Every structure is written in structure tokens, then in C-alpha cells.
Amino acid sequence: MASGDDNPIFEDDESMEKMTDLVAVWDVALSDGIHKIEFEHGTTSGKRVVYVDGKEKIRKEWMFKLVGKETFTVGAAETKATINIDAVTGFAYEYTLEINGKSLKKYMENRSKTTNTWVLHLDGQDFRVVLEKDTMDVWCNGKQMETAGEFVDDGTETHFSLGKHDCYIKAVSSGKRREGIVHTLVVDNREIPETPE
């Protein structure tokens, strides 16, 4: 007979339920890091649960209306996010994520125009450096950095430190109207290639 375990296959009903109701997962790259958004939708109970980086943001247990939207914030800047729940056919649903009122795809396309991202490895640690071009704010691993701007012959330099490393982002005109200003990250006098997101 069994050795005392009533049901050795399932840990508990709640973790099983979570597995079956998880309908969508998105990774969203913001200045303060890449955030994971998970959405549970119980199509029989109407349950809706939103998790951001593993933390529960919204929980609604019983909803008679299975379609609609859930709005919440993501990241240090509390960026507005909305999950749209639409019926496709019968009991099939489509889930779309909007960030700041734009589809995730449009938001990321626009973001690549307004930010530069570099990923580098220093002193055994990974760093993700993001420049917000409109404000010249610099973020590293989720924290906004203290910076000092300086004018140089061919443009500007925005200086900051990563541990004991001197860093700056150099902004130089490309000389071409369509390209505009070119931003380069320099760490310990070495150029770091930009990382596409």
C-alpha cells in the first residue's frame, strides 16, 4: 500500500490550478530592467490574476464577464500596462499587452528609437546600461545612475561609474539628418557595442 502519501503526484491543488490558468507570458524591456508579466485567466470561473516579476499585482476571483481589460503598472517608473482580453471564437480568447497605450510591438519599436542599451560583463557581474535619449537619464541594473554631463569638442559626454570603473556615454552628431546623434558607451577607455533588445 501507499506509504502515507495520499496523493504523491500533485504538490497542491493551487499550483496545479495556476499551471492550467496561465494563458500568457510577456517579457517587457524597460529602462530599469526586463520585466516578466504573467496572466492567468480562468475561463470557467472568470478568475483573472496578473503577476509582474512573480509578484501578484491584480487578483479577481469571480467575473461573469470573461472579456475586458486589466490595467496595472510595471517597473520603477510605474509604466502603464493593459492586458486586453478578447473573445476570438466560442471559448477561445486572445490576450494582448499594451504598454503606455501602444501594442507591445509598437512600444518596443518606438523604444529602440528613444533608448540605447548596452550589456556588459565587469568584475564577474553583468550590467545592463540604458540611456534614455530624450532626458539623457542613465539606468543600470534597475537603478537610475548619478551622472555628470560635460561638453567636449565633438559633442557631449555623460559620465558615471560602475563600481571602480569610469564610464561615459559620448553623444556625437552623425553628420546625417536621418541618423541624428550617435551614442557610444565607453568603459575604461574601451568602446562597448550596443545590444539590440
Side-chain angles (χ1 to χ4, degrees):
M1 292 308 279
S3 61
D5 274 346
D6 291 340
N7 194 343
I9 300 159
F10 303 116
E11 320 298 71
D12 60 17
D13 290 341
E14 198 173 294
S15 70
M16 264 316 285
E17 186 183 320
K18 180 178 177 182
M19 302 282 288
T20 55
D21 287 345
L22 186 65
V23 293
V25 179
W26 296 275
D27 286 323
V28 180
L30 300 178
S31 294
D32 67 336
I34 296 170
H35 300 279
K36 182 183 223 109
I37 296 173
E38 296 171 288
F39 182 55
E40 291 180 22
H41 188 213
T43 52
T44 48
S45 66
K47 178 182 84 169
R48 296 181 191 176
V49 188
V50 175
Y51 297 92
V52 176
D53 300 326
K55 292 185 184 69
E56 193 174 292
K57 276 276 197 173
I58 296 173
R59 176 176 286 272
K60 294 179 178 168
E61 286 298 341
W62 292 97
M63 302 220 21
F64 293 106
K65 195 171 177 212
L66 292 175
V67 295
K69 54 180 64 180
E70 293 299 335
T71 300
F72 52 99
T73 60
V74 181
E78 300 207 339
T79 304
K80 183 180 158 202
T82 303
I83 295 173
N84 295 302
I85 307 154
D86 297 299
V88 187
T89 53
F91 292 104
Y93 295 89
E94 182 179 73
Y95 307 95
T96 52
L97 178 67
E98 290 177 2
I99 305 291
N100 277 344
K102 294 184 179 85
S103 73
L104 182 59
K105 184 176 187 286
K106 277 264 182 279
Y107 177 80
M108 295 316 288
E109 283 168 6
N110 187 50
R111 201 177 144 67
S112 68
K113 293 176 194 145
T114 59
T115 61
N116 288 78
T117 303
W118 298 269
V119 175
L120 61 150
H121 194 76
L122 285 176
D123 305 328
Q125 196 179 347
D126 287 325
F127 293 95
R128 179 177 177 271
V129 176
V130 177
L131 168 69
E132 292 182 352
K133 294 183 208 176
D134 52 350
T135 59
M136 292 306 286
D137 287 341
V138 176
W139 292 76
C140 181
N141 292 0
K143 292 184 181 62
Q144 194 170 345
M145 304 300 287
E146 285 276 326
T147 60
E150 183 183 318
F151 287 98
V152 292
D153 287 344
D154 52 354
T156 63
E157 292 177 356
T158 303
H159 290 261
F160 60 100
S161 299
L162 292 178
K164 56 187 184 297
H165 300 275
D166 291 324
C167 310
Y168 64 91
I169 295 172
K170 189 171 180 109
V172 179
S173 171
S174 65
K176 299 182 188 101
R177 260 192 59 209
R178 283 176 118 8
E179 277 179 49
I181 295 171
V182 177
H183 296 88
T184 310
L185 174 62
V186 179
V187 177
D188 298 334
N189 295 317
R190 205 184 55 173
E191 265 191 36
I192 306 296
E194 192 178 343
T195 308
E197 287 201 295

